[in-house]
Amino acid sequence: MSRIGFLDALVRSEPFRVFQIILGALLIPVAGIVGLVTPPGVGLIVAGAGVALVLRNSRWARRRYLFHTRRHPRVRKAVDLGLMRRRRRRRTVAAEPPASLTNPASDPTSPPMPQV
């Protein structure tokens, strides 16, 4: 059995977890101020980091997040697409081939083919 290193034990400890929740909760409102002062987009990155810290360490926040994403599925798709890695996003989009209009089997407007 491998021994857990000092940093792993520190990151998994309860006081450090509470510290990460507090830091994430502080980053969210700071993102508004940062967004006003800096170029566009920096505030979103700071807010995303704060939300990620809170969701990673708080069961209550995760439950609330899941409740709201289930209640608003269109927002959930946008958030999931934004959180997805770029490579995975390309695979997901490429996996949905468009309906071919040259193939009568997949064309919904074509008449049904007679049985042979």
Side-chain angles (χ1 to χ4, degrees), residues 20-78:
Q20 288 180 347
I21 293 171
I22 293 169
L23 179 65
L26 288 175
L27 282 177
I28 294 170
V30 167
I33 298 167
V34 170
L36 291 173
V37 176
T38 62
V42 177
L44 284 174
I45 293 171
V46 174
V51 169
L53 280 174
V54 171
L55 288 177
R56 183 178 174 198
N57 293 297
S58 171
R59 287 186 187 147
W60 175 85
R62 270 184 264 157
R63 281 196 311 264
R64 298 299 303 168
Y65 170 75
L66 289 175
F67 170 76
H68 288 296
T69 54
R70 287 182 187 139
R71 188 170 181 184
H72 305 285
R74 292 175 69 188
V75 175
R76 179 182 184 180
K77 285 183 181 179

Side-chain angles (χ1 to χ4, degrees), residues 98-114:
S100 172
L101 296 179
T102 59
N103 183 1
S106 66
D107 185 7
T109 60
S110 67
M113 300 296 290

